[in-house]
Amino acid sequence: MQGFVLGFNMNISVNNIKETNCRCDVLILPITEGDSDLYKNLGASIRKLIKKIFSKEFSGKQNEVLIIPAPSDIRAGRILLIGLGKKAEASAERIRQAGGKAAAYLRDMGMKNAALSTAVISSLKLSPADFAEGALLGLYTFKKYQTKNNDKKLRSLIVLSHSRELKKNIDRIKAITSAVYFSKDLINTPSNDMTPAHLAKAALSLKNKRISVKVFGRRDAERLGMNVYLSVTKGSHEQPKFIVLEYKGAKSKPLALIGKSITFDSGGISLKPSDGMEKMKYDMAGGAAVLGVLKAASELKLPVNLVGILPATENLPGGSATKPGDIAKAITGKTVEIINTDAEGRLILADAIGYAIKHFKPKAIIDIATLTGACSVALGNEAIAMMGNDRKLLDDIKKSAKNTYERVWEMPLFDEYKEYIKSDIADIKNTGGKNGSLVTAAYFLYEFAEKTPWVHLDIAGTAWVEKDKPYIPKGASGIGVRLIIDYLRSALR
Ligand code: BES
Ligand code: MN
Ligand code: ZN
């Protein structure tokens, strides 16, 4: 199936050319704050030029940029100085940010090809691959729906290095970034096109030697007893699709990745206010992240077993929609009283968790979901809210959050929250009221995960970016892909 992966705008290569010999529009020179003499080896004229500029217009502050004509004794047409901030505070994240800022700036300036000097980044014991990652991520655009396309494009970046290891690391970053692009494209696509059926097609496009895909329809879900999931589908004319992928890279028990896949959340009969409702197309960002992870895992041939589950449906009001007070029975046999039809994410996830445990006996479950508005109330747009029942799993994900800067913040699952979601007439109800609604949503899922090691990632505050960040252009952030891939690479070996 073609059409889902459009590829990068920019080509990245690693080449052992001397900075002064590289024929390109622009040579990128990263500079730490206040250090005006980092490039003395490039000759007297560059050295003088940088010294001069340091007296006034540039000092190397984080993400500061300045483009200047190159002296005639080097082959590049221009030089871009990009600030890395204070040497003592250097980090992979800051290098990524510099990469994102530099690439987007050069594109906007109409530059076509650039080369990156790697000496300074390497001297900080950091990797130029992080710069490349920031550059690729920062150049993401979503232009499918704009009929006039006369965009500026930075076409190539040559990373100046002889290192074979760097080349390997950049190849890995390309695979991961391509998966982030894939995920973002799905999320940015409006719900009239990104229907559950279309999401299923996107999943099917990943089919290969190691990935198998099954798509269950309404009848199948009925047969499987997933009536809590089905309760969410009832108001919509779009056919629900319960999508199951398997990636086999090892023989061990699988890790189940479950992504909330509401292709549009109107709230259902508990209708949301119309202000900002257009953004509820991103309520399938969890599902898109899971697809991205499977895509990258298979490209990187990771030695792990994964099951990806996307319970996909719209959540709409309608003549046959579920009404507040209705009760449905989950695949596990538990009955759920649906107090608020807008608390639909936990309903579809409950059956997905139940299905995963029943059919795959996974060694662990990670669910990722735009689950609660309370997530952004608590953490703003800066961190994923994380809750779970397994200390090792939680701690491993925290490490990956540090590595990728897809930050997580752990919230508690106190026993007392059980009371909040007790129903008078069913086993459990789907809301626990306003207070603690971030944690009671997770507690609801905990009641379905039970003894299986499980972690819940609430990405409601981070899956959508309102204002450009250094390497995350506004729109879908694609969060979760880099985090979970890092977890798979570091923890599961
Ligand atoms: N999809 C929303 C959560 C959400 C809100 C995600 C804003 C991203 C941005 C979820 O289905 C929802 O509506 N949650 C309700 C639950 C409430 C009714 C208990 C919420 O958090 O308001
Ligand atoms: Mn909702
Ligand atoms: Zn929702």
Side-chain angles (χ1 to χ4, degrees), residues 480-492:
V481 179
R482 294 172 55 245
L483 174 70
I484 296 174
I485 287 292
D486 186 272
Y487 165 73
L488 296 177
R489 288 185 357 100
S490 38
L492 291 188

Side-chain angles (χ1 to χ4, degrees), residues 265-406:
D265 182 13
S266 72
I269 297 296
S270 313
L271 195 63
K272 285 182 182 299
S274 47
D275 250 10
M277 202 203 272
E278 74 283 357
K279 268 192 251 134
M280 279 301 114
K281 68 174 182 181
Y282 87 79
D283 216 16
M284 37 60 76
V290 169
L291 292 186
V293 170
L294 269 96
K295 174 173 153 54
S298 112
E299 241 158 76
L300 298 172
K301 302 197 167 62
L302 295 186
V304 295
N305 261 358
L306 301 174
V307 175
I309 303 178
L310 287 75
T313 176
E314 293 184 324
N315 182 27
L316 293 186
S320 55
T322 292
K323 303 167 289 297
D326 289 359
I327 294 179
K329 194 186 204 114
I331 189 172
T332 59
K334 259 199 179 73
T335 56
V336 181
E337 184 185 7
I338 299 158
I339 300 294
N340 189 321
T341 63
D342 197 13
E344 84 298 339
R346 65 201 77 180
L347 298 177
I348 66 168
L349 293 174
D351 268 335
I353 291 171
Y355 173 84
I357 295 173
K358 189 166 173 188
H359 290 269
F360 293 100
K361 299 189 175 48
K363 65 177 164 204
I365 296 174
I366 299 175
D367 82 71
I368 175 161
T370 46
L371 204 62
T372 68
C375 177
S376 355
V377 173
L379 300 171
N381 310 111
E382 308 312 321
I384 297 169
M386 176 172 76
M387 286 139 278
N389 62 7
D390 187 88
R391 184 42 45 204
K392 166 106 172 55
L393 188 53
L394 288 161
D395 287 345
D396 284 343
I397 292 176
K398 279 184 193 170
K399 282 184 206 145
S400 292
K402 278 220 173 93
N403 293 341
T404 56
Y405 211 68
E406 293 196 343

Side-chain angles (χ1 to χ4, degrees), residues 382-444:
E382 308 312 321
I384 297 169
M386 176 172 76
M387 286 139 278
N389 62 7
D390 187 88
R391 184 42 45 204
K392 166 106 172 55
L393 188 53
L394 288 161
D395 287 345
D396 284 343
I397 292 176
K398 279 184 193 170
K399 282 184 206 145
S400 292
K402 278 220 173 93
N403 293 341
T404 56
Y405 211 68
E406 293 196 343
R407 289 172 295 180
V408 300
W409 198 260
E410 190 179 341
M411 295 296 208
L413 282 181
F414 298 135
D415 294 339
E416 284 78 357
Y417 294 139
K418 198 181 174 80
E419 284 298 317
Y420 291 48
I421 50 173
K422 249 194 188 136
S423 163
D424 292 332
I425 56 169
D427 296 330
I428 188 172
K429 61 180 177 183
N430 80 330
T431 53
K434 201 158 174 264
N435 286 348
S437 68
L438 168 62
V439 287
T440 54
Y443 204 96
F444 182 92

Side-chain angles (χ1 to χ4, degrees), residues 100-300:
K101 178 71 204 251
Y105 180 76
L106 291 178
R107 174 198 58 203
D108 296 344
M109 296 299 275
M111 301 296 129
K112 294 278 175 273
N113 44 74
L116 172 69
S117 167
T118 55
V120 167
I121 295 173
S122 301
S123 76
L124 296 167
K125 305 252 170 326
L126 291 164
S127 172
D130 291 315
F131 191 98
E133 182 177 33
L136 278 178
L137 289 170
L139 291 176
Y140 173 83
T141 54
F142 185 70
K143 299 281 180 193
K144 203 160 68 177
Y145 291 91
Q146 286 177 341
T147 49
K148 283 212 191 87
N149 197 340
N150 44 13
D151 268 359
K152 294 175 178 162
K153 272 189 183 148
L154 177 60
R155 296 198 179 283
S156 90
L157 174 66
I158 304 174
V159 178
L160 305 177
S161 167
H162 59 86
S163 164
R164 293 199 50 96
E165 195 192 322
L166 176 58
K167 197 173 166 342
K168 267 210 279 190
N169 287 338
I170 288 183
D171 283 343
R172 185 184 70 241
I173 268 161
K174 281 190 201 167
I176 297 169
T177 307
S178 159
V180 174
Y181 272 46
F182 175 76
S183 175
K184 288 194 193 207
D185 280 352
L186 299 179
I187 301 164
N188 283 324
T189 300
S191 74
N192 58 322
D193 284 340
M194 188 47 63
T195 57
H198 197 68
L199 192 57
K201 274 194 196 154
L204 287 165
S205 78
L206 299 180
K207 245 188 185 171
N208 63 24
K209 266 204 303 226
R210 289 161 173 233
I211 295 183
S212 60
V213 184
K214 270 191 299 205
V215 179
F216 296 120
R218 186 185 298 281
R219 283 283 134 69
D220 305 304
E222 281 166 6
R223 180 176 48 76
L224 289 161
M226 301 194 286
N227 297 304
V228 170
Y229 160 64
L230 285 167
S231 75
V232 180
T233 72
K234 286 170 61 183
S236 168
H237 292 306
E238 285 295 335
Q239 289 304 309
K241 302 288 174 191
F242 192 93
I243 307 161
V244 182
L245 305 94
E246 284 180 75
Y247 165 73
K248 289 216 170 77
K251 291 238 161 66
S252 54
K253 274 207 227 166
L255 167 71
L257 302 173
I258 302 178
K260 176 174 173 183
S261 302
I262 296 290
T263 57
F264 189 79
D265 182 13
S266 72
I269 297 296
S270 313
L271 195 63
K272 285 182 182 299
S274 47
D275 250 10
M277 202 203 272
E278 74 283 357
K279 268 192 251 134
M280 279 301 114
K281 68 174 182 181
Y282 87 79
D283 216 16
M284 37 60 76
V290 169
L291 292 186
V293 170
L294 269 96
K295 174 173 153 54
S298 112
E299 241 158 76
L300 298 172

